[in-house]
Amino acid sequence: HLRTDELETVDEETAMFHTIEKPVLAKLEGLVAEEEEEESKTNMKSKTRLRVLVVEDEDEIKAYLKSELSDEYKVETCSNGKEAYDLILRDTPDLAISDVMMPEMDGFTLGKKIREIDGNVPFVYITAKSMKEDMKQGYEIGADDYIVKPFEMLELLVRIEKVLERTGRARKVLTIRNI
């Protein structure tokens, strides 16, 4: 510890540590607490408000997507395009994520039907179909994005957020986290 006369000789510009007065410190702590509280409220609203429909016939992938997306969105799942179509007719989601190759109704057919029901519902394909012709077909149907399996979850989350922002369905929903 230094004596008072030693402290006065410290060059303030080069000093690594500065003393913060208690009233200033309390004000800073209050501002940080208010900011954290507001951020917490915002995240809670956005995590429960937007509905995402995941259409995937592989149970493991469907469960993984639901688990990962549930932190940010209210997630509903279907195992094929027909189930998804029936659900969409009853209650349109904010975003649909669909595989392409599925039994009963494939993702391309589902995409066409989504566009017929509501041309504004954003949808994203996540599929193993990586040929340029398949991607072209997906985009021609009206997909907002086309992601080839295997995919990185962080990439999917960012793409979902950007699709929702572009379509005016969300404002800054995603909380970036370690994945």
Side-chain angles (χ1 to χ4, degrees):
H1 297 284
L2 299 174
R3 295 186 320 258
T4 306
D5 62 326
E6 292 174 321
L7 286 174
E8 293 173 352
T9 61
V10 174
D11 181 14
E12 287 193 28
E13 289 181 20
T14 59
M16 293 181 68
F17 301 100
H18 297 279
T19 304
I20 298 176
E21 301 290 322
K22 281 187 178 183
V24 173
L25 183 60
K27 184 176 180 179
L28 286 174
E29 288 172 343
L31 289 173
V32 168
E34 285 175 21
E35 220 173 83
E36 287 173 352
E37 184 179 328
E38 185 62 33
E39 186 176 302
S40 154
K41 286 179 186 174
T42 303
N43 287 341
M44 289 304 289
K45 285 181 184 173
S46 65
K47 288 181 183 182
T48 58
R49 184 174 49 122
L50 294 172
R51 290 181 43 250
V52 173
L53 173 61
V54 172
V55 189
E56 172 63 61
D57 61 324
E58 292 183 43
D59 290 337
E60 189 174 302
I61 295 172
K62 182 170 46 180
Y64 173 66
L65 288 169
K66 182 172 184 170
S67 168
E68 291 296 318
L69 296 175
S70 291
D71 287 345
E72 302 295 333
Y73 308 100
K74 181 179 177 187
V75 179
E76 297 175 79
T77 61
C78 292
S79 296
N80 61 59
K82 185 177 180 334
E83 285 178 20
Y85 180 66
D86 292 342
L87 190 141
I88 292 168
L89 284 174
R90 288 190 310 271
D91 194 12
T92 307
D94 293 298
L95 172 80
I97 299 171
S98 179
D99 188 8
V100 171
M101 298 180 289
M102 297 179 292
E104 295 190 51
M105 183 190 293
D106 68 23
F108 288 149
T109 304
L110 175 63
K112 289 174 189 171
K113 289 188 176 284
I114 288 173
R115 286 293 170 246
E116 289 170 8
I117 296 168
D118 184 346
N120 296 317
V121 175
F123 69 93
V124 175
Y125 287 121
I126 299 180
T127 180
K129 292 181 76 89
S130 61
M131 300 293 291
K132 291 197 184 310
E133 295 81 23
D134 296 319
M135 291 178 161
K136 182 177 181 261
Q137 183 178 358
Y139 285 121
E140 285 175 346
I141 288 168
D144 293 279
D145 214 333
Y146 192 104
I147 301 170
V148 177
K149 295 175 187 174
F151 60 91
E152 292 290 325
M153 184 52 67
L154 180 58
E155 178 185 4
L156 174 62
L157 288 168
V158 170
R159 287 185 181 208
I160 288 170
E161 177 186 2
K162 293 304 172 191
V163 165
L164 290 169
E165 285 177 1
R166 267 194 319 270
T167 58
R169 297 201 178 240
R171 292 175 305 282
K172 198 64 182 166
V173 175
L174 179 64
T175 303
I176 299 295
R177 57 192 165 93
N178 292 331
I179 298 177

